[in-house]
Amino acid sequence: MKILVTVKEVAEVEDEFEISGLDIADSSLEYDLNEWDDYAVEEAVQISEEHDDVEVVTVTIGPERAEETVRMALAKGADRAIRVWDDSIEDAQFLDVDTKAEIIAAVAEEEDPDFILSGVQAGDDANGATGVAVAERLDFEWGAVVNALDLDVDEGVASVHRELEGGVEELTDIEIPAVLTIQTGINEPRYASLRGIRQAQRKPLDVQTLDDVGLDASVVDSEIERTDMYEPESEGDATLWEGSAEDTANELADFLRDKGVVEG
Amino acid sequence: MSVLAVTEHRRGELRDISFEIITAGRELADELGEDLNLVVIGGDVDGFAEDLNRDGVDTIYTVNEGEEFNHGIYKQAIEQLHAELDPTALLTPNSVNGLDYTPAVAESLDLPLVTDAVALEGGQPVEVTREQYGGKVETTYDVDADQYAISIRSAEWPTAEDAGDAAIESFEADIDHDAIGATVNGFEEVGGGDVDITEADVLVSIGRGIEEEENLPLVESLADTLGATLSSSRPIVDNGWLPKNRQVGQSGKVVEPDVYIAIGISGAVQHVAGMKGADTIIAINTDPNAPIYDIADYGIVDDLFDVVPQLIEEFGGEAPDV
């Protein structure tokens, strides 16, 4: 069995940041493995540990810098990795859902996985849509926002819980091949061990261009254009208590006494 | 041409987003000079259509297929209605279920898709505002296409209240059930447990800022000192440091205490959805730009590990070493 896991290197914004043009200045960003994808990698690795002959392959759309993130997934137990990038992707203003889905689906067609796991969303652009769009492109079944997964390989069915709003979960059986988008909390992602990190350096990491995956530069064309980025104006009018921790704690304590939360 | 908005229901009740999407859809339809059509799929469609008949809606299409949500039925029904109506805009809820069919429909119909819109400005192109980087920035996108799909965030548009005089039409979708590979078997409530945070008058709520599980006794001690109940944002539950019944937010509990003390919580939109009804919100967070300050009444911009022990001492308690 082969599991393909979509992995994204996401940009995290520091508390103080600057906007440069239509994006956040690179100096204000730090990069990390997307939180939701970390859970997807863990889920795939756990399946590979529970069943014989499971290969876990990660796929990433990202520049060379993203290899650090990819190696992290390899260190946690993925077997090999594919990274897609070239000049036309680099030059694109941003990648819309359709573009990302087309690239990942092209890799999936080549790899022919039984199963694709994807984070529910990415922490930076938060589209929350790529996984399901990939499923549609591949004519796979799918399930979005999965927070429990029980895989019956013989029957070809994934029994999942989908986390709905308001503390309710939907219990659904999904035929595989399928794409599942994985919600945080489904498992406990492991830390990469030193041994894992060393091993990751020797695992295969293929870099492919759009041409290599059978696509041309037009895949990055989009009818959607980013036109502005700005810090939202604060809607708040909170009263801020200022001073030392002792002073502010004293103000808050007085407030809670006045409010009757605490007596005395 | 028209605007087609998809409504949502669960366990026999229309969800609030169904009435919010009427407002968003009507505004967009006005700007485009078009009709607003709704579709309701599955369940008591006739009863739902009656409730959805609000001012500004032109036609409500009912699709009498299935009781509860199934993405396969939704996808096929929406695709067929889309082919019939040929709408400019397809609007869907950016809910968990919305995320389970909208990308598939958009991909299948070759519609450009923008998700999680918080504002729309109609016209050609349509301008969509959304948040990125965890709400730290807003971005606008122009969608330059004759037809497009947009999912909208809940609680961003007011609910449509006034009664309307929409036409109600049954739409006979030709659903291929064999093509649907997902079977919904039911629902499960999560949480339960010994503590009901929705009943608490005072909540001390902790977020990612607590850093380590070993630091939890600090906020537990504060909650004890104040006679408050301990709750949390999502990452604390995801980490297994507190049980699910303590989680406040969109996928957790909606709480309305007298006082909500948010400690080390940034205020992601999913969390805020669960606690913005609190009478008084007090935030303790090192980041003065954290979104929690947009809704807080009072705040202390400082390190929780400095403030919380002082606060415990204020009330004669002793802060544990963490």
Side-chain angles (χ1 to χ4, degrees):
Chain A
M1 184 166 69
K2 188 190 285 185
I3 305 174
L4 189 66
V5 187
T6 67
V7 171
K8 189 181 181 198
E9 174 206 61
V10 294
E12 293 179 353
V13 183
E14 294 173 353
D15 286 351
E16 299 292 328
F17 63 93
E18 281 179 31
I19 292 171
S20 168
L22 291 173
D23 217 330
I24 291 178
D26 212 40
S27 58
S28 305
L29 296 174
E30 288 180 3
Y31 294 91
D32 203 353
L33 171 61
N34 179 38
E35 185 181 0
W36 285 263
D37 296 346
D38 196 12
Y39 289 86
V41 168
E42 177 64 31
E43 199 64 19
V45 171
Q46 286 188 11
I47 293 169
S48 77
E49 289 167 345
E50 286 161 18
H51 297 84
D52 294 333
D53 298 326
V54 177
E55 186 185 27
V56 177
V57 183
T58 67
V59 53
T60 298
I61 304 168
E64 193 175 351
R65 186 192 57 228
E67 291 193 3
E68 204 175 318
T69 295
V70 172
R71 293 279 178 206
M72 193 54 68
L74 291 172
K76 291 178 177 212
D79 297 298
R80 60 186 175 88
I82 297 163
R83 176 173 72 82
V84 184
W85 198 250
D86 65 11
D87 289 345
S88 39
I89 303 178
E90 172 102 43
D91 293 342
Q93 188 203 27
F94 76 103
L95 303 180
D96 69 16
V97 171
D98 182 56
T99 299
K100 285 188 270 198
E102 199 167 346
I103 294 170
I104 290 168
V107 172
E109 272 167 4
E110 199 64 34
E111 289 289 328
D112 194 22
D114 299 281
F115 215 39
I116 300 178
L117 300 181
S118 176
V120 166
Q121 62 178 20
D124 47 11
D125 53 15
N127 287 313
T130 307
V132 174
V134 167
E136 174 61 23
R137 278 201 165 264
L138 293 172
D139 202 18
F140 276 25
E141 193 42 64
W142 72 89
V145 194
V146 167
N147 72 343
L149 165 61
D150 182 14
L151 186 60
D152 186 332
V153 178
D154 296 334
E155 291 292 319
V157 173
S159 297
V160 306
H161 288 209
R162 295 181 55 239
E163 186 189 69
L164 305 179
E165 298 87 352
V168 178
E169 296 181 358
E170 182 197 275
L171 316 180
T172 304
D173 287 343
I174 296 171
E175 292 172 8
I176 56 176
V179 180
L180 302 181
T181 75
I182 301 296
Q183 176 63 300
T184 61
I186 188 173
N187 52 41
E188 196 173 330
R190 69 196 65 192
Y191 289 100
S193 65
L194 278 175
R195 185 163 162 268
I197 291 168
R198 275 201 304 275
Q199 284 177 339
Q201 296 303 322
R202 296 193 294 275
K203 290 183 178 175
L205 197 167
D206 292 337
V207 182
Q208 303 197 346
T209 63
L210 287 177
D211 192 41
D212 292 336
V213 299
L215 299 171
D216 62 45
S218 67
V219 71
V220 302
D221 294 344
S222 178
E223 292 161 305
I224 305 169
E225 183 188 3
R226 185 184 292 167
T227 50
D228 202 2
M229 177 180 279
Y230 49 89
E231 285 186 64
E233 280 180 29
S234 173
E235 297 157 9
D237 52 359
T239 302
L240 296 181
W241 291 307
E242 291 173 354
S244 67
E246 196 177 345
D247 295 339
T248 54
N250 182 262
E251 296 257 24
L252 175 50
D254 284 347
F255 177 83
L256 293 173
R257 285 189 191 100
D258 290 348
K259 195 95 179 150
V261 171
V262 184
E263 287 177 15
Chain B
M1 303 295 272
S2 61
V3 172
L4 174 61
V6 184
T7 62
E8 182 164 317
H9 58 87
R10 184 183 305 151
R11 299 165 110 176
E13 284 188 26
L14 287 163
R15 303 193 67 235
D16 288 349
I17 187 78
S18 298
F19 300 99
E20 294 157 13
I21 210 168
I22 293 174
T23 307
R26 186 63 258 166
E27 283 175 12
L28 184 60
D30 283 345
E31 287 164 9
L32 295 170
E34 296 176 355
D35 282 356
L36 171 63
N37 300 320
L38 303 185
V39 59
V40 56
I41 304 166
D44 174 18
V45 288
D46 295 328
F48 290 149
E50 238 172 78
D51 287 351
L52 290 165
N53 197 340
R54 303 284 161 107
D55 191 30
V57 180
D58 292 290
T59 306
I60 302 166
Y61 292 91
T62 60
V63 179
N64 195 8
E65 282 279 351
E67 277 305 305
E68 291 290 352
F69 174 77
N70 180 301
H71 64 217
I73 292 174
Y74 269 59
K75 176 172 175 285
Q76 292 183 41
I78 294 166
E79 283 171 5
Q80 290 170 26
L81 188 57
H82 196 277
E84 173 110 356
L85 301 177
D86 207 21
T88 304
L90 174 66
L91 292 188
T92 63
N94 197 69
S95 58
V96 172
N97 283 345
L99 289 174
D100 199 39
Y101 65 83
T102 309
V105 170
E107 198 67 30
S108 159
L109 296 175
D110 202 17
L111 301 174
L113 167 66
V114 184
T115 61
D116 205 19
V118 297
L120 298 176
E121 204 165 309
Q124 180 64 281
V126 62
E127 184 187 84
V128 185
T129 305
R130 61 196 307 275
E131 290 184 354
Q132 283 178 243
Y133 296 104
K136 291 204 169 194
V137 295
E138 280 187 0
T139 44
T140 55
Y141 290 86
D142 280 357
V143 186
D144 196 4
D146 295 335
Q147 292 182 298
Y148 45 82
I150 298 169
S151 70
I152 68 160
R153 181 180 286 185
S154 65
E156 292 293 327
W157 280 267
T159 53
E161 301 287 352
D162 299 336
D165 56 359
I168 297 174
E169 288 188 24
S170 172
F171 180 74
E172 299 295 330
D174 183 15
I175 305 292
D176 176 3
H177 288 271
D178 291 340
I180 299 172
T183 310
V184 179
N185 297 316
F187 298 97
E188 196 172 280
E189 304 279 348
V190 294
D194 53 340
V195 173
D196 184 358
I197 59 172
T198 65
E199 296 288 319
D201 295 329
V202 182
L203 283 171
V204 168
S205 205
I206 188 68
R208 221 184 267 268
I210 196 70
E211 295 174 0
E212 304 282 343
E213 186 175 15
E214 289 68 35
N215 298 333
L216 267 188
L218 183 64
V219 281
E220 284 167 347
S221 169
L222 177 64
D224 282 349
T225 303
L226 299 179
T229 302
L230 188 64
S231 59
S232 81
S233 63
R234 177 175 194 109
I236 305 302
V237 172
D238 278 351
N239 284 334
W241 299 347
L242 285 174
K244 181 90 181 169
N245 64 339
R246 302 281 182 150
Q247 184 183 323
V248 174
Q250 212 163 54
S251 55
K253 303 280 186 183
V254 176
V255 297
E256 293 180 335
D258 297 336
V259 177
Y260 188 87
I261 308 179
I263 303 175
I265 289 177
S266 66
V269 61
Q270 293 85 353
H271 181 74
V272 168
M275 46 68 77
K276 63 187 175 194
D279 267 1
T280 302
I281 297 167
I282 300 162
I284 302 173
N285 196 303
T286 50
D287 178 7
N289 299 316
I292 192 77
Y293 287 112
D294 287 345
I295 56 155
D297 300 292
Y298 297 90
I300 297 173
V301 181
D302 204 343
D303 189 338
L304 74 92
F305 295 105
D306 293 330
V307 176
V308 172
Q310 289 285 346
L311 191 55
I312 294 169
E313 282 177 30
E314 279 282 340
F315 294 111
E318 194 175 330
D321 282 334
V322 293

